[in-house]
Amino acid sequence: MQREAPEGPGLLATARDALLQEILPKLSGTDAFTARMIANAMAIAAREAAQDEAWVAATRAAMQRLTGAADTPDRALAAAIRAGAYDPGSAHHAEVAAMLRKAARMRCAISAPRVLGKG
């Protein structure tokens, strides 16, 4: 279903801009620091809301296929990695390594885009 404009990420961006442009300049000290923290949290929430849900679903499905765990495939995958199931030379090492690299990039794009040269 198509959402009515503006959508969540746009609303967060507008509110964040108002906070940074209109309210923050009037604050100092701890209040200014708190406002910057709120603005940062709003930016992270907007990026998270805009993330590629299809990729998230596909990754979850791949984890379920690899581990057989329907409820918590992320935990099952982590346990299998710790147990050495996907070490170099194993049947699914390349697939799991690529998935983890992509997941790390997606997480950085949400929480620390400057690390990736975005933002």
Side-chain angles (χ1 to χ4, degrees):
M1 176 170 84
Q2 182 69 22
R3 295 182 185 153
E4 186 176 322
E7 294 183 13
L11 290 171
L12 281 168
T14 300
R16 182 176 186 271
D17 287 344
L19 176 63
L20 291 172
Q21 302 301 318
E22 298 173 28
I23 298 170
L24 182 61
K26 298 173 186 171
L27 303 175
S28 62
T30 303
D31 292 337
F33 178 76
T34 300
R36 280 190 210 92
M37 282 189 355
I38 293 168
N40 188 48
M42 293 169 84
I44 291 169
R47 288 189 297 268
E48 188 171 284
Q51 78 178 354
D52 182 0
E53 290 299 323
W55 180 84
V56 173
T59 300
R60 182 174 176 80
M63 287 189 286
Q64 288 173 329
R65 178 180 48 77
L66 287 164
T67 65
D71 293 337
T72 56
D74 52 340
R75 290 180 185 212
L77 183 68
I81 290 169
R82 283 192 298 276
Y86 305 112
D87 283 354
S90 66
H92 297 286
H93 170 76
E95 178 183 1
V96 171
M99 184 187 330
L100 292 175
R101 278 192 297 278
K102 176 73 174 181
R105 291 190 68 74
M106 295 288 278
R107 191 66 218 154
C108 281
I110 291 169
S111 63
R114 287 187 193 131
V115 171
L116 301 174
K118 301 176 182 178

